[in-house]
């Protein structure tokens, strides 16, 4: 199972379990997150880049993977993604570097899987 598939499957499984608990506050929080990244005065691509940079600074690997996936869906290029990485490293400092390494690995897997799917 690929790194991307494993992450997405686990995330979906746990989100389903969490939503099944039917807690109003948790559902509202998840909805707030969903609505925040919708198209608005700021476009989705920019919001996802902001989310990625913030996630890197906060050193949340799951959040980084999620936003990398969304950035890939939004069509970010390597040049754009590395500019986001640069901002995150500048703001977060050297402690972000291990997360940066894992982000690069995940970005490469996202691109490889997309290329395989396009050639299938």
């Amino acid at each position: 199972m690929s790194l991307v598939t494993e992450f997405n499957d686990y995330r979906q499984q746990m989100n389903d379990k969490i939503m099944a608990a039917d807690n109003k506050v948790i559902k509202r929080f998840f909805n707030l997150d969903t609505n925040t990244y919708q198209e608005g005065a700021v476009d989705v691509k920019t919001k996802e880049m902001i989310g990625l940079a913030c996630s890197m600074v906060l050193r949340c690997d799951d959040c980084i993977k999620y936003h990398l996936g969304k950035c890939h869906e939004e069509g970010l290029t390597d040049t754009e993604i590395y500019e986001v990485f640069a901002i995150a490293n500048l703001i977060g400092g050297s402690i972000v570097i291990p997360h940066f390494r894992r982000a690069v690995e995940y970005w490469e897997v996202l691109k490889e899987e997309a290329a395989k799917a396009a050639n299938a």
Side-chain angles (χ1 to χ4, degrees):
M1 183 178 300
S2 85
L3 187 62
V4 173
T5 303
E6 184 179 326
F7 172 74
N8 287 329
D9 287 354
Y10 176 77
R11 184 176 181 278
Q12 186 62 55
Q13 176 188 0
M14 295 313 299
N15 282 349
D16 291 346
K17 184 176 285 282
I18 290 165
M19 289 297 113
D22 201 29
N23 180 283
K24 182 169 66 172
V25 174
I26 291 172
K27 283 186 169 186
R28 286 181 177 174
F29 184 79
F30 273 51
N31 185 265
L32 179 64
D33 179 71
T34 299
N35 285 323
T36 297
Y37 288 94
Q38 298 291 319
E39 189 79 25
V42 176
D43 62 276
V44 172
K45 181 178 176 179
T46 302
K47 288 181 177 187
E48 290 301 338
M49 290 188 292
I50 293 167
L52 174 59
C54 291
S55 296
M56 290 181 73
V57 171
L58 292 170
R59 302 183 310 272
C60 176
D61 285 332
D62 278 8
C63 300
I64 292 167
K65 287 176 182 174
Y66 175 78
H67 288 292
L68 280 169
K70 291 298 186 180
C71 285
H72 190 267
E73 288 175 15
E74 290 299 315
L76 266 76
T77 64
D78 285 350
T79 303
E80 291 171 318
I81 208 76
Y82 272 85
E83 285 192 16
V84 175
F85 291 159
I87 292 166
N89 279 281
L90 177 66
I91 293 169
S94 62
I95 198 166
V96 173
I97 292 171
H99 304 277
F100 172 40
R101 289 183 187 120
R102 288 188 289 274
V104 170
E105 175 189 22
Y106 197 79
W107 182 251
E108 293 299 320
V109 172
L110 282 167
K111 293 188 317 178
E112 288 169 12
E113 289 188 5
K116 285 179 187 175
N119 292 329

